[in-house]
Amino acid sequence: MGGAVGELDSFDAGRCAGGYALGLAVGRRFAGVIRSRARQDLVLRDQLLPFASTAQAQPLLAALQSANRERYPRHWDELVGTADGSGVPLLHLILLNFRKEILPFVPKEEGDREGEEGEPDGDCFDVLVVSDSAAIAVHNEDGNVALLGHTYLVRATLPDGLSFTAYTYAGELPSCAFGFNSNGVAFTLDSVPPVNEEILAGAIARNFVSRDLLEAKNLGDAMHRICSPSVSVGHSYNLMDVRGRRIVNVETASGNRFAVHEAGAAPFFHANMYRHLHVKQDENSMSREKRAAQCSVDSKEAALSLLGDTADDKYPIYMTGPTLYTLCTVLVDLDEATVTIYKGNPKNGDAAHVLRML
């Protein structure tokens, strides 16, 4: 198992003939982890699966499947292969991969227990800096308690020779978290939950967009891949171009809306709120962004220290439960062309993996 429990496992699937073959290999390799998550994930068990059995859910599920299978047939085959390889029903993996696009439409029980069992919104935090002395992105990958021990690294080589490495949630497409490829393109992701009226039902899902992003040829191609689809729910993408020494933040929303901010010498912080795009949203991460603004970030060590900050008991930057946990921290150094994954509080500098990008 990987994630915040034990060591982060990794798997090189080698050169894969197609999407189904890649998914099948990943599903077989991590069958135990995928099955474990499917059993333990309360959002899947108590909300998504019961909802999927209702008449109300059928048009939404059919629209999501049709839209994403049509636009991304290879990635859809990969998802089917993961289900076949792991022995987990395809419906369960579809629900996990579409969870952000489905949950807003799940009727809330009395008392609205989303804070206990639902999908909390305060996940992930980034600091981006491109100065004369450093070009870095540092990211906390925060997730629900159900993800503890249910993440892994996938490396794969596509038929055209492009290879990618992606931090992957068990049973989901690589990657709804962070990844990079042999073209020198990397990314980290931040959730930006809007209010429900901003969501386009049955459109393109974020997991399929970020899977497609792993195949970007360059920064321009990466921006096209995230800005052109008609998405159901928006996202915040931190895109990195190693060869061009550039980092840009791109916020997207339904209706093909997007906003671009290029990182510079002044540290740019992004959590789980839109910063540039005008979207109706729940302002759930204001305290973390305010805390970050109080801190000086003039080196990699300072950035890691910031992402390990626990000064705010209620809304810490580094999360230790009971619902949200920082699963790991990743530092992308464009000058060194490395991706370093830290386990535990990044203040301690305990590097679990140092990966070369080129």
Side-chain angles (χ1 to χ4, degrees), residues 6 9 68 75 85 126 135 164 192 226 236 249 306:
D9 206 350
N68 288 275
H75 307 336
D126 281 79
F164 67 76
V192 279
I226 64 178
S236 172
N249 170 258
L306 170 62

Side-chain angles (χ1 to χ4, degrees), residues 117-133:
E117 296 187 358
E119 191 83 346
D121 290 337
D123 46 355
C124 301
F125 186 90
D126 281 79
V127 56
L128 315 175
V129 178
V130 179
S131 67
D132 292 341
S133 58

Side-chain angles (χ1 to χ4, degrees), residues 125-128 267-271 275 289 292-295 297 306:
F125 186 90
D126 281 79
V127 56
L128 315 175
F268 177 76
F269 308 110
H270 205 292
R275 301 231 7 220
E289 291 189 5
Q294 298 170 357
C295 301
V297 180
L306 170 62

Side-chain angles (χ1 to χ4, degrees), residues 176-259:
C176 63
F178 59 85
F180 65 92
N181 67 25
S182 54
N183 289 330
V185 177
F187 64 85
T188 63
L189 306 174
D190 302 311
S191 173
V192 279
V195 297
N196 284 7
E197 65 188 76
E198 292 277 1
I199 297 170
L200 178 62
I204 297 300
R206 296 183 306 176
N207 274 23
F208 280 81
V209 176
S210 54
R211 168 62 185 86
D212 197 52
L213 189 53
L214 285 167
E215 302 183 15
K217 298 177 178 64
N218 49 49
L219 187 61
D221 184 42
M223 293 179 67
H224 175 74
R225 287 171 188 257
I226 64 178
C227 295
S228 61
S230 177
V231 295
S232 177
V233 183
H235 218 20
S236 172
Y237 300 84
N238 303 299
L239 302 178
M240 288 142 256
D241 173 11
V242 172
R243 292 187 172 94
R245 202 175 185 267
R246 293 177 64 194
I247 302 176
V248 297
N249 170 258
V250 184
E251 296 176 339
T252 67
S254 60
N256 290 101
R257 292 170 291 170
F258 62 90

Side-chain angles (χ1 to χ4, degrees), residues 149-162:
H150 296 135
T151 63
Y152 41 77
L153 283 176
V154 171
R155 178 180 169 83
T157 303
L158 304 180
D160 63 2
L162 175 73

Side-chain angles (χ1 to χ4, degrees), residues 286-295 306 309 311-312 317:
M286 188 74 75
S287 60
R288 286 182 294 153
E289 291 189 5
K290 285 182 177 177
R291 172 60 182 162
Q294 298 170 357
C295 301
L306 170 62
D309 187 85
D312 189 320
I317 293 175

